[in-house]
Amino acid sequence: MPCCKPWLSAVSVKLLFSILLCGWLFWIALPASASSQRVVSLAPSTTELAYAAGMGDNLLAVSAYSDYPPEAKKLEQVASWQGINLERVLALKPDLILAWRGGNPQRVLDQLASFGIPIFYSDARNIDEIAQSLDELAQYSPHPELAHQAAEQIRQQVVELKNRYANNAPQRVLLQFGTQPLFTSSADTLQSQVLSLCGAENIFAESPMPWPQVSREQVLARKPQAIVTTGGEQQIASVKAFWAPQLNVPVIALDEDWFNRAGPRIMLAAQTLCRQLAEIPR
């Protein structure tokens, strides 16, 4: 019996190979589809942004203290104040890394980038930049509409607070973030901008450093009418004891995560602060 004739000629083989090669090159040139993104978050704030942007199901791992929303607590932790577990992050083969320059070591981030992994940086210094981060994350989200909705909600809340409190008689406020040493913030911080939404005045707004260390004498000379800190009732008592008897003014303690993380919950801090400042007798 004669041998069977090959089903592909040499020309056909070359054509098929060309088609497959072009298709493969086209596939690798495309970004990973939103629904298949494998995402690692290296800061609590970027974790909150990811969930708000509809990317929660894409998260493989997060940083220490990524505790909101509660689902984030179930994820593996690959970063902390001690650094980033480079080997573990690479083993997870992420399509995208969410990072914060202010809290993540740049050397390790550069190493991760050298492996061709895209890094999305969120370094918001004001509320508008938080909303902008959400809009930018929409391109990676399987639910981009959620990202844009979250951004728009923040912008609407900012407008509402400005309209409600901007015309109030300004109160002089000390933003206090420690006692040993005693330090505060300038106008060039997210926290100071939150304060300004309430129509209040940061007594160290003009400082050239974003987080200046100050003395008791400098604070007393500026005669604050209120003090804003983070924590609960115990922290309020501690701050009052620190200033007694020289300074006896209302102390407002905000949820630390709300006030210090550059995420959507900053608006909860703003709403709470504005309401409590408005209740202080003028």
Side-chain angles (χ1 to χ4, degrees), residues 175-204:
L175 292 169
Q176 182 170 337
F177 298 100
T179 55
Q180 301 296 331
L182 174 62
F183 69 97
T184 182
S185 75
S186 73
D188 192 28
T189 63
L190 180 60
Q191 290 73 21
S192 188
Q193 190 196 16
V194 169
L195 183 64
S196 67
L197 286 180
C198 305
E201 175 188 340
N202 176 359
I203 62 172
F204 287 98

Side-chain angles (χ1 to χ4, degrees), residues 86 90 97 106-119 121:
L86 176 65
L90 291 174
I97 291 174
Q106 190 61 48
R107 181 181 63 83
V108 182
L109 294 175
D110 290 341
Q111 288 177 297
L112 289 167
S114 71
F115 284 95
I117 306 172
I119 299 180
Y121 289 98

Side-chain angles (χ1 to χ4, degrees), residues 6-267:
W7 67 279
L8 283 176
S9 67
V11 175
S12 299
V13 171
K14 289 181 180 180
L15 179 61
L16 178 61
F17 177 77
S18 297
I19 293 172
L20 292 174
L21 178 61
C22 290
W24 179 76
L25 289 174
F26 177 73
W27 177 80
I28 64 172
L30 289 175
S33 65
S35 60
S36 64
Q37 285 284 341
R38 298 168 61 82
V39 182
V40 170
S41 170
L42 300 179
S45 58
T46 55
T47 299
E48 293 195 23
L49 286 171
Y51 276 99
M55 300 168 63
D57 291 340
N58 302 103
L59 283 172
L60 303 173
V62 295
S63 71
Y65 302 106
S66 288
D67 52 12
Y68 186 86
E71 304 94 271
K73 298 178 184 179
K74 303 174 185 178
L75 298 175
E76 178 182 356
Q77 296 184 359
V78 293
S80 69
W81 64 270
Q82 294 177 307
I84 300 169
N85 187 334
L86 176 65
E87 292 77 13
R88 184 54 188 154
V89 173
L90 291 174
L92 290 170
K93 300 179 180 179
D95 299 313
L96 179 69
I97 291 174
L98 309 180
W100 170 41
R101 284 191 180 91
N104 297 137
Q106 190 61 48
R107 181 181 63 83
V108 182
L109 294 175
D110 290 341
Q111 288 177 297
L112 289 167
S114 71
F115 284 95
I117 306 172
I119 299 180
F120 178 92
Y121 289 98
S122 178
D123 301 288
R125 293 190 303 175
N126 56 60
I127 296 172
D128 185 62
E129 289 180 359
I130 294 175
Q132 182 180 339
S133 291
L134 287 165
D135 278 330
E136 292 172 354
L137 282 173
Q139 64 184 305
Y140 305 106
S141 174
H143 306 288
E145 72 284 356
L146 295 181
H148 292 308
Q149 287 172 10
E152 184 58 28
Q153 183 179 30
I154 288 174
R155 295 186 178 105
Q156 289 178 356
Q157 290 170 335
V158 167
V159 171
E160 290 170 2
L161 289 178
K162 285 182 177 179
N163 290 341
R164 184 170 181 178
Y165 297 103
N167 295 325
N168 287 357
Q171 296 164 290
R172 298 185 305 278
V173 176
L174 167 65
L175 292 169
Q176 182 170 337
F177 298 100
T179 55
Q180 301 296 331
L182 174 62
F183 69 97
T184 182
S185 75
S186 73
D188 192 28
T189 63
L190 180 60
Q191 290 73 21
S192 188
Q193 190 196 16
V194 169
L195 183 64
S196 67
L197 286 180
C198 305
E201 175 188 340
N202 176 359
I203 62 172
F204 287 98
E206 80 289 351
S207 172
M209 300 177 59
W211 303 100
Q213 183 176 335
V214 296
S215 67
R216 294 174 65 97
E217 292 72 23
Q218 287 175 306
V219 172
L220 294 172
R222 285 167 170 77
K223 300 179 180 179
Q225 297 168 291
I227 297 172
V228 174
T229 188
T230 58
E233 292 298 325
Q234 185 176 354
Q235 184 63 15
I236 291 176
S238 177
V239 169
K240 286 185 174 181
F242 177 81
W243 289 108
Q246 295 169 299
L247 184 62
N248 182 21
V249 296
V251 177
I252 297 172
L254 299 173
D255 184 287
E256 184 174 5
D257 294 341
W258 293 0
F259 200 40
N260 290 343
R261 293 182 187 176
R265 292 193 296 168
I266 193 69
M267 296 312 301

